[in-house]
Amino acid sequence: MTRGQGFLVLALILVARALLLPAGARAQALDLDLDRPALSFGGEVGTFSELYGVSGAERRRPGATARLYLRPTASIYGLVSVRGDFLLSTEGNQLGAQARQNINQYSLSPDWGWGRATVGDFSGSYSPLTYNGIRARGASVDVERGALRLSMFGGRSRRAVDGGAVSGSYSRTVAGARLGVGEARGTSLALVMVTALDDPGSLDEPTDTLFLDPQPDTTFVEDTLSVGRDNRFAVTPQQNLVMSLVGTLALLDDRLKLEAELAGSGYTRDRRSDPIDNPELLDRIPGIAEALFTPRTSSSADYAYTLQGQISPIPALTSTVTFRNLGAGYVSLGTASLLSDRREIQSRTALRLGRVNASLDLGRQNDNLADQKAFTTTRNRIGASLSTRLTRRWTSSLRLQRATLDNEATEEERWIAYGSWLLGTRQSIAFGRASILRSTSVDYNFRSTGDENPLRDASTSWAHTASWSVVVQPSRVFSITPTAGLVHSKFGQEDWATRTNFGLGGQLALARGRWVSGLNLSRTHVHRTTALQATLTSRFQLTESDAFVFGARLNDNENLGDPGLSFRESTVSLRWTRRF
């Protein structure tokens, strides 16, 4: 008998023993509430089907799609709850689906108060620099006992897809753990480790993407730029190890909060490249990292850190300052998106005084942290907003933003000195429920962009944007919303152009709100191009548990200047949901 089988048998014996006890003794032993049902179920089940058609353009989605989902929940005396999430879709079985990741998913998630687990598909977040927003298929567990918190996960985040540089990927396994002490929302300290590993054998090896090492002796060059003669845009089997220390310090009754994260990563772009045999380098690798990560000639190592401070001296005033530094070679495959080679500082101050809300945002970002590029790009941003209720019904807001980008290049062909201004205002009036005219609002924005480099005159632009909407409700069951918009813009040396948009929306509620339908029509015209969009949504509550939603959408684009660019696409869908 294996150790796992032994634990399973022991758990079954303990459960059986508890069930054989008298009800009172069993409740006392397990701290159960006998007034609650021993076992309760709930959840929802539903289907979704869609038909799609297009003429005059390339198809953007499958012609027919069907999905079935089930989200059951079960509770035992309220002590243990189990949630399920199952989704089956035809999108994983259609032509070309082998070039995409699978959309089907399933999971079971038990929760027992001081801990929770998931088996199947899951996603989570340990910290912004390590594990954040990646969905994997495997298992995860989170345990919290007093001041101690432990989390672990492991599974496959990508399947092998032979789709080329656009959608191709090797089969990838990710795993991680987080050990923390302290309060969940207060002072705490946590150690995080995440590893990702691609399987080189999950795809056939292309002959033109193999990493070619220019140094036969497999020595190491401390350079974050690409070394070797490999194809940068090729799909390669990768490896990644990230370790991070995350801390939070809360002082003065949470009026002052400090957060910090320090992370280091080892990243191999191609696991097929040769291992490094430089003893001097290998001695610098910590023991735990050496056991989980093999340095190769396509490897890089770097660090990143984040510092954030937030202070609220009074309830009406909050100020936050954030500083981030991500090295040029820092990579974390456990995050959905993370841009490296950047240093930035951001601050935001918000003030709330009665009917007035004001905020000020500042930001500065630059790259080329390792001084390896020909020039450095610096981005600056400043923005301010003010909103207030001038009267009981009238709300007014104003915002101003300035953004610049300068790469300090000495060659005029590469020099960028871009800048933009944005000024906007919104005025809205609510007339109350007793009025047929419920509300109206007007928005206006002015944007100006330009570049000091004379070679980039085409990037100069001016745009005035205005829109208006009103909500009219002549009865309790019917409302109508007309809208209008105007964009008056100019780009470079071109003439001013005007784009108009008119829309009309309506909503009808019948059968005491059990049947609600909405129709939205919009027409946009610019130059010799006209776009007409129509959207219909109808929801019918058949019973207290069953609901049907019907949807239809038409998009008709007509280009009189070039009829070959005209197209029409339509979508019809039906959704059924049952709660139990």
Side-chain angles (χ1 to χ4, degrees):
M1 178 182 296
T2 64
R3 181 178 298 180
Q5 292 172 335
F7 281 126
L8 179 60
V9 171
L10 178 61
L12 292 176
I13 292 175
L14 293 176
V15 172
R17 180 182 178 186
L19 294 176
L20 291 176
L21 291 174
R26 186 167 65 245
Q28 184 177 3
L30 299 177
D31 193 21
L32 302 180
D33 184 2
L34 294 180
D35 294 333
R36 304 185 62 171
L39 187 63
S40 60
F41 292 95
E44 67 176 10
V45 60
T47 61
F48 173 81
S49 57
E50 181 184 83
L51 296 176
Y52 170 80
V54 61
S55 61
E58 185 179 353
R59 183 183 299 273
R60 298 185 299 128
R61 54 202 306 174
T65 301
R67 299 175 190 169
L68 171 65
Y69 67 90
L70 174 64
R71 301 190 183 102
T73 61
S75 177
I76 305 175
Y77 283 112
L79 186 65
V80 178
S81 63
V82 180
R83 295 181 292 106
D85 193 350
F86 304 90
L87 172 65
L88 296 177
S89 174
T90 60
E91 293 166 286
N93 304 316
Q94 294 167 337
L95 182 64
Q98 67 274 11
R100 301 192 302 267
Q101 297 297 321
N102 202 330
I103 193 175
N104 297 337
Q105 63 184 41
Y106 66 88
S107 67
L108 285 174
S109 303
D111 188 320
W112 55 93
W114 52 269
R116 64 204 60 86
T118 300
V119 177
D121 294 287
F122 63 90
S123 64
S125 177
Y126 283 0
S127 72
L129 296 179
T130 57
Y131 171 56
N132 186 26
I134 291 294
R135 177 170 291 276
R137 176 167 293 180
S140 69
V141 61
D142 298 275
V143 177
E144 182 175 348
R145 298 294 286 177
L148 182 64
R149 299 190 304 278
L150 174 64
S151 301
M152 294 183 294
F153 77 92
R156 190 181 71 174
S157 63
R158 289 188 178 184
R159 67 169 182 167
V161 172
D162 191 8
V166 177
S167 58
S169 67
Y170 284 82
S171 176
R172 176 173 298 170
T173 300
V174 294
R178 178 181 60 184
L179 178 62
V181 294
E183 303 176 2
R185 299 182 179 274
T187 302
S188 63
L189 184 65
L191 178 63
V192 179
M193 182 175 65
V194 178
T195 180
L197 189 67
D198 289 354
D199 180 9
S202 60
L203 288 181
D204 295 334
E205 183 177 303
T207 59
D208 61 341
T209 62
L210 180 64
F211 185 93
L212 300 177
D213 180 22
Q215 306 169 37
D217 58 354
T218 64
T219 56
F220 180 75
V221 177
E222 294 188 357
D223 192 339
T224 61
L225 296 181
S226 177
V227 294
R229 299 187 298 275
D230 66 323
N231 181 357
R232 289 190 181 185
F233 305 103
V235 177
T236 56
Q238 305 172 63
Q239 183 181 7
N240 185 217
L241 174 65
V242 178
M243 301 184 68
S244 170
L245 189 64
V246 186
T248 301
L249 181 62
L251 302 171
L252 304 176
D253 295 330
D254 290 342
R255 291 196 299 270
L256 175 63
K257 182 174 292 187
L258 304 175
E259 299 180 8
E261 179 177 7
L262 174 62
S265 79
Y267 168 69
T268 297
R269 187 177 183 275
D270 195 336
R271 289 190 61 202
R272 300 166 298 181
S273 58
D274 295 328
I276 293 175
D277 57 6
N278 187 333
E280 181 181 354
L281 171 67
L282 297 177
D283 291 341
R284 293 160 53 183
I285 301 177
I288 186 173
E290 185 179 4
L292 298 174
F293 183 79
T294 302
R296 300 179 181 272
T297 53
S298 63
S299 298
S300 63
D302 216 324
Y303 67 94
Y305 60 90
T306 300
L307 303 173
Q308 178 173 290
Q310 177 176 297
I311 184 171
S312 300
I314 57 175
L317 178 64
T318 301
S319 183
T320 304
V321 179
T322 304
F323 180 80
R324 295 186 182 92
N325 188 101
L326 285 83
Y330 184 85
V331 176
S332 177
L333 299 180
T335 60
S337 177
L338 187 66
L339 296 177
S340 59
D341 191 22
R342 62 188 175 102
R343 179 181 292 125
E344 62 180 340
I345 182 170
Q346 298 181 9
S347 70
R348 186 176 193 275
T349 301
L351 177 65
R352 302 175 300 277
L353 291 177
R355 296 183 176 182
V356 178
N357 293 302
S359 66
L360 176 65
D361 293 271
L362 302 172
R364 179 180 177 86
Q365 176 183 312
N366 66 275
D367 62 353
N368 198 18
L369 304 187
D371 295 327
Q372 295 173 309
K373 300 178 183 178
F375 45 81
T376 300
T377 301
T378 302
R379 297 172 173 86
N380 293 296
R381 186 193 75 255
I382 179 172
S385 66
L386 176 67
S387 65
T388 180
R389 292 182 60 184
L390 298 176
T391 66
R392 187 169 62 92
R393 302 183 182 276
W394 181 9
T395 302
S396 177
S397 65
L398 178 68
R399 65 185 182 122
L400 176 66
Q401 181 174 302
R402 169 65 173 171
T404 62
L405 184 152
D406 195 324
N407 64 1
E408 302 177 358
T410 56
E411 300 178 13
E412 193 173 29
E413 293 78 7
R414 296 186 177 184
W415 178 42
I416 299 177
Y418 171 86
S420 70
W421 284 97
L422 174 64
L423 174 64
T425 182
R426 177 181 177 87
Q427 310 295 324
S428 60
I429 299 177
F431 297 99
R433 296 184 178 182
S435 173
I436 295 179
L437 181 62
R438 292 299 179 87
S439 63
T440 184
S441 62
V442 177
D443 291 86
Y444 169 76
N445 291 280
F446 170 74
R447 181 184 294 273
S448 172
T449 66
D451 199 302
E452 296 180 15
N453 189 339
L455 299 180
R456 302 182 185 275
D457 286 341
S459 65
T460 302
S461 67
W462 300 267
H464 301 270
T465 304
S467 62
W468 166 81
S469 66
V470 62
V471 178
V472 181
Q473 187 166 352
S475 69
R476 297 180 58 183
V477 299
F478 177 68
S479 64
I480 185 171
T481 305
T483 60
L486 174 70
V487 178
H488 193 54
S489 59
K490 174 180 172 60
F491 293 89
Q493 302 301 322
E494 299 179 1
D495 296 333
W496 284 89
T498 302
R499 183 180 68 183
T500 58
N501 177 272
F502 298 95
L504 183 64
Q507 181 171 293
L508 178 64
L510 300 175
R512 297 182 179 179
R514 293 174 56 187
W515 185 10
V516 179
S517 299
L519 176 64
N520 289 280
L521 303 172
S522 67
R523 182 181 182 275
T524 303
H525 178 79
V526 55
H527 293 299
R528 304 186 66 185
T529 302
T530 301
L532 175 64
Q533 290 186 350
T535 303
L536 172 65
T537 304
S538 182
R539 186 180 191 277
F540 181 65
Q541 191 74 34
L542 182 62
T543 66
E544 293 184 358
S545 303
D546 297 271
F548 292 87
V549 179
F550 171 80
R553 180 182 177 88
L554 173 66
N555 186 10
D556 189 357
N557 285 262
E558 183 179 8
N559 192 318
L560 299 179
D562 187 353
L565 298 179
S566 300
F567 70 93
R568 174 181 294 180
E569 61 180 355
S570 59
T571 304
V572 178
S573 64
L574 179 64
R575 183 190 302 271
W576 165 70
T577 302
R578 177 177 176 83
R579 297 184 179 275
F580 55 89

